[in-house]
Amino acid sequence: MSIAASPTTAKRPMADLFRAVYHDKRDFRDLIEMDVLLNCKREQYTKAGQVRAILVPNDVLAGCLEFVRLFVVDYLPINEDVVYSYRRGMSAFDAVARHRDGKHFLVCDISHFFPSLNRGRVRLTIDQGNDRTPIADFGHWLDRFVDLVCPESSLPVGFSTSPGISNAALKPFDDAMSIVCESRGLTLTRYSDDIIVSGQSKDALDGIEQIVAGTLQQVLPGEFTLNRAKTKRMHRGTKVKLLGMVLLPDGGVSVDAAVKDEIEVLLHFHSRNRSRFLERVGNDLAKGERRLSGLINYVNTIDKAYLDKLRRKFGAASVDYFLHRSFS
């Protein structure tokens, strides 16, 4: 859905905005009365060997959340110079490309990011949209917005509203760290829970890990901690891997060698030995083609030169078959 009020639109009551968007195809009472947890299901998925919980909304709840995203979450202030996650027209590539001229790097990760975004922080974050949103009676519905987007003790994974809220919730940290980095001539980006700092000299990054951790505690006391196991220092001359991408010596950005290997093996078997392809993807052709399509489209956003190399090696038809297609 693309309907959203512009910043210059006069404020209107939420009920009027809801009806203007859905034209009686959805019931306003659902937005203000529904039991959120009864309208979603719990699922689990595995990422990096860890089982994570997810809340999946049904169609009715998804429509209500989309309204809140359009008229509340999309108006929340963020530090656009720092945060690149979940933004239209931006990707992890853009967050990494900001560091292409760096020589020394710190990468760190916020532990248990979404579970650490508690209801209190969510409420404070949403309240920041009061003066910006086109909803005239915003204050009257503030608690209801919080109940919709955060029905339990922390921000759920799986709601369309959660990514934007997570961007806005860390604005105090993004703002404070950007001042520190600017004073040291450093470049700072954040992609969800991943923080990257780079600079031209090792001395400029002296103590930066402690500063990042200290700033988190100062501006968001007791809410977030860094995952020490994922904190790394890197420098040019070694493999610089950021958000799954690799910074090349010439300043270019490419995908990791492991991703390239997987793509080339799957392309080879898909075009020349379908039975081996099926073996590699668990005997599920649709799942295997979705995986290969996702990988090739990922490459297309990062390193078009490598995509051209794949076309030369495997044929343009074989590669383009997986670009911008839906494999269900």
Side-chain angles (χ1 to χ4, degrees):
M1 183 180 299
S2 60
I3 300 174
S6 71
T8 59
T9 302
K11 288 179 178 285
R12 297 167 59 187
M14 186 170 74
D16 290 354
L17 290 169
F18 188 88
R19 294 183 182 108
V21 170
Y22 291 117
H23 303 290
D24 297 324
K25 293 179 181 178
R26 294 188 183 273
D27 193 335
F28 181 67
R29 289 176 299 180
D30 290 330
L31 182 71
I32 62 175
E33 297 176 1
M34 75 155 53
D35 186 311
V36 176
L37 292 177
L38 290 180
N39 284 273
C40 56
K41 61 181 179 179
R42 299 181 189 276
E43 294 185 357
Q44 293 184 333
Y45 72 101
T46 302
K47 182 178 180 181
Q50 293 185 338
V51 178
R52 300 170 186 260
I54 183 172
L55 280 181
V56 181
N58 63 16
D59 178 71
V60 176
L61 176 56
C64 293
L65 291 173
E66 184 66 1
F67 176 85
V68 175
R69 184 188 68 79
L70 285 168
F71 288 94
V72 178
V73 177
D74 284 358
Y75 285 89
L76 297 178
I78 63 172
N79 188 319
E80 296 183 355
D81 293 328
V82 174
V83 64
Y84 285 81
S85 45
Y86 319 123
R87 290 176 56 195
R88 182 172 298 177
M90 295 292 177
S91 68
F93 171 80
D94 297 293
V96 171
R98 283 279 309 279
H99 301 276
R100 63 170 80 240
D101 295 328
K103 295 181 180 179
H104 296 266
F105 308 85
L106 169 77
V107 295
C108 47
D109 170 90
I110 299 174
S111 297
H112 310 296
F113 184 42
F114 272 42
S116 297
L117 287 161
N118 58 49
R119 277 178 63 91
R121 176 55 53 188
V122 170
R123 191 181 194 282
L124 287 170
T125 301
I126 291 177
D127 195 30
Q128 293 176 6
N130 194 349
D131 294 334
R132 302 164 62 95
T133 177
I135 300 174
D137 48 352
F138 180 95
H140 178 75
W141 299 111
L142 175 60
D143 289 337
R144 179 56 181 169
F145 294 144
V146 176
D147 289 340
L148 282 165
V149 304
C150 191
E152 297 183 298
S153 61
S154 61
L155 196 67
V157 176
F159 282 12
S160 62
T161 46
S162 294
I165 292 171
S166 75
N167 278 353
L170 261 71
K171 185 177 185 296
F173 166 79
D174 296 337
D175 291 347
M177 272 304 304
S178 66
I179 293 172
V180 173
C181 289
E182 184 177 356
S183 70
R184 290 180 169 223
L186 301 174
T187 299
L188 166 72
T189 62
R190 179 171 65 85
Y191 194 86
S192 187
D193 56 348
D194 291 298
I195 301 163
I196 307 172
V197 182
S198 67
Q200 294 295 306
S201 70
K202 183 179 179 180
D203 290 344
L205 271 76
D206 185 41
I208 196 66
E209 178 185 340
Q210 291 74 24
I211 292 173
V212 172
T215 301
L216 269 177
Q217 289 304 310
Q218 180 182 359
V219 301
L220 302 166
E223 297 181 44
F224 301 95
T225 58
L226 295 184
N227 186 338
R228 302 296 182 182
K230 292 186 177 181
T231 299
K232 297 179 181 178
R233 294 287 291 263
M234 296 173 287
H235 59 86
R236 292 285 187 178
T238 62
K239 182 178 182 180
V240 178
K241 186 175 178 180
L242 306 173
L243 301 181
M245 288 163 259
V246 177
L247 278 184
L248 303 175
D250 63 359
V253 181
S254 188
V255 295
D256 189 54
V259 175
K260 293 181 178 180
D261 290 344
E262 182 179 1
I263 290 172
E264 295 190 26
V265 168
L266 291 178
L267 276 174
H268 172 81
F269 287 139
H270 188 272
S271 61
R272 300 184 184 181
N273 192 328
R274 193 59 61 90
S275 63
R276 290 294 303 278
F277 179 82
L278 288 171
E279 289 177 13
R280 299 280 303 200
V281 298
N283 293 309
D284 188 331
L285 179 61
K287 180 179 178 181
E289 289 190 330
R290 282 198 303 272
R291 171 66 178 169
L292 186 50
S293 175
L295 290 171
I296 289 176
N297 278 283
Y298 171 66
V299 167
N300 188 45
T301 65
I302 297 171
D303 191 346
K304 294 185 185 300
Y306 177 63
L307 193 69
D308 290 337
K309 179 181 177 181
L310 289 175
R311 289 189 176 104
R312 292 192 297 271
K313 185 172 182 178
F314 297 98
S318 295
V319 174
D320 292 345
Y321 174 76
F322 290 99
L323 274 176
H324 310 304
R325 289 192 56 173
S326 175
F327 293 87
S328 57

